[in-house]
Amino acid sequence: MEKIIDGVKIEYNDVGEGEAIFLLHGWGSKKELFEPIVNTVSPKYRAVAFDLPGFGGSDEPPEVWDVDRFADICIKFIASFNENKVILLGHSFGGRVIIKIASGRRLPFEISRIILVDSAGIMPKRGLDYKIRVGTYKLGNKLLSTPPMKKLFPNAVENRRKKKGSADYAAASPIMRGCLTKAVNEDLTPLLEKIPYETLLIWGTADADTPLSDGETMEKLLPNAGLAKIEGAGHFSWLDNPQTFSAIIRSYLKI
């Protein structure tokens, strides 16, 4: 199924009946990865998993978006279902978008509660060595972008990006690279205290992308939050330990 929101096609799956749960996936992912969670909640809830713009079957944004713009289009998409009350579940980047949605915006629907799974949003502490590496990298790109160097080494900047950048960055289109850069360089920590909604945090203790310490920070700063840890699970905790994850969800949502 699909909807057109602000000229952007968004593909989604809609399963079950009851209070609606909207599922927002992480960077580089797609709605199908949520199938185990959808299967868990759909006997009691309406589960709507959708591809964020730029992923899966949805259109790419027409320009570089920051997280606020992703939040804006998600709000419009959710509102198009005419649900008065919704639950929001987000993994990684999807959690980052939910933090933006829930932190003080006037919404056309009520959020009953939030579930954040290995969520992004906490800026890692970076020392002097990191700043030096980044500065050196940017200076090198600037030099290689001058006309004489571009003529001698036309692919040098792109090759450096592929070598030095993350896998997500290397795989992204130019527009999505810009979106990713804006996202990872924004610290959402100051927004957490503005989120009044009951929030369940689910975290894999072995998550190397958004470490457990991020979940512990969110638990401290969110006014109404609890943290459930899944021992040994990584960044995709519901796939690494589906039995424990499902048990947590079933208990929390009383399924």
Side-chain angles (χ1 to χ4, degrees):
M1 291 176 277
E2 66 182 52
K3 287 178 180 280
I4 306 298
I5 308 293
D6 289 347
V8 176
K9 181 188 72 173
I10 296 180
E11 288 199 354
Y12 67 97
N13 293 329
D14 187 352
V15 182
E17 296 180 353
E19 184 177 356
I21 302 178
F22 288 84
L23 298 93
L24 285 70
H25 61 74
W27 191 273
S29 188
K30 55 184 178 180
K31 59 185 180 300
E32 284 77 14
L33 214 62
F34 278 140
E35 184 176 352
I37 303 178
V38 170
N39 291 339
T40 297
V41 303
S42 57
K44 184 177 178 180
Y45 294 87
R46 179 185 188 184
V48 181
F50 62 101
D51 290 329
L52 294 169
F55 304 100
S58 294
D59 289 343
E60 187 171 282
E63 58 190 7
V64 173
W65 284 359
D66 58 13
V67 183
D68 284 292
R69 187 65 186 86
F70 277 96
D72 289 341
I73 199 166
C74 286
I75 290 169
K76 292 179 180 179
F77 173 78
I78 294 169
S80 72
F81 286 81
N82 298 313
E83 296 281 351
N84 293 325
K85 184 181 291 188
V86 303
I87 298 170
L88 301 181
L89 184 152
H91 170 246
S92 196
F93 178 72
R96 190 188 288 271
V97 175
I98 289 174
I99 291 170
K100 283 283 190 175
I101 291 173
S103 55
R105 291 169 181 255
R106 295 185 65 181
L107 301 173
F109 48 81
E110 178 184 348
I111 298 174
S112 63
R113 44 190 156 174
I114 293 169
I115 302 172
L116 298 179
V117 182
D118 301 291
S119 178
I122 304 294
M123 180 77 78
K125 294 181 180 179
R126 290 163 174 167
L128 181 60
D129 59 337
Y130 173 84
K131 295 177 181 178
I132 290 173
R133 289 199 307 272
V134 170
T136 302
Y137 175 77
K138 289 182 177 179
L139 179 60
N141 281 354
K142 184 177 289 188
L143 291 172
L144 289 169
S145 297
T146 59
M149 296 300 287
K150 284 181 71 174
K151 187 174 182 179
L152 288 172
F153 309 103
N155 299 317
V157 173
E158 183 63 22
N159 290 337
R160 290 183 92 231
R161 284 176 178 159
K162 290 179 179 178
K163 185 177 180 181
K164 297 291 185 180
S166 68
D168 284 337
Y169 187 86
S173 69
I175 283 180
M176 296 308 290
R177 285 177 182 173
C179 296
L180 179 59
T181 299
K182 283 180 176 289
V184 300
N185 285 314
E186 184 177 9
D187 184 12
L188 304 188
T189 304
L191 299 182
L192 296 175
E193 64 181 16
K194 301 177 182 178
I195 297 176
Y197 310 105
E198 179 182 311
T199 303
L200 171 64
L201 305 165
I202 306 178
W203 234 270
T205 61
D207 190 336
D209 295 301
T210 53
L212 178 60
S213 58
D214 288 2
E216 293 169 339
T217 297
M218 289 188 182
E219 184 184 27
K220 290 178 182 177
L221 296 178
L222 287 163
N224 189 13
L227 174 62
K229 304 174 186 178
I230 301 182
E231 195 65 37
H235 191 53
F236 294 85
S237 54
W238 75 96
L239 298 177
D240 292 341
N241 191 332
Q243 293 83 8
T244 300
F245 189 96
S246 179
I248 292 169
I249 288 290
R250 290 178 186 276
S251 175
Y252 181 63
L253 296 177
K254 295 179 173 58
I255 300 172

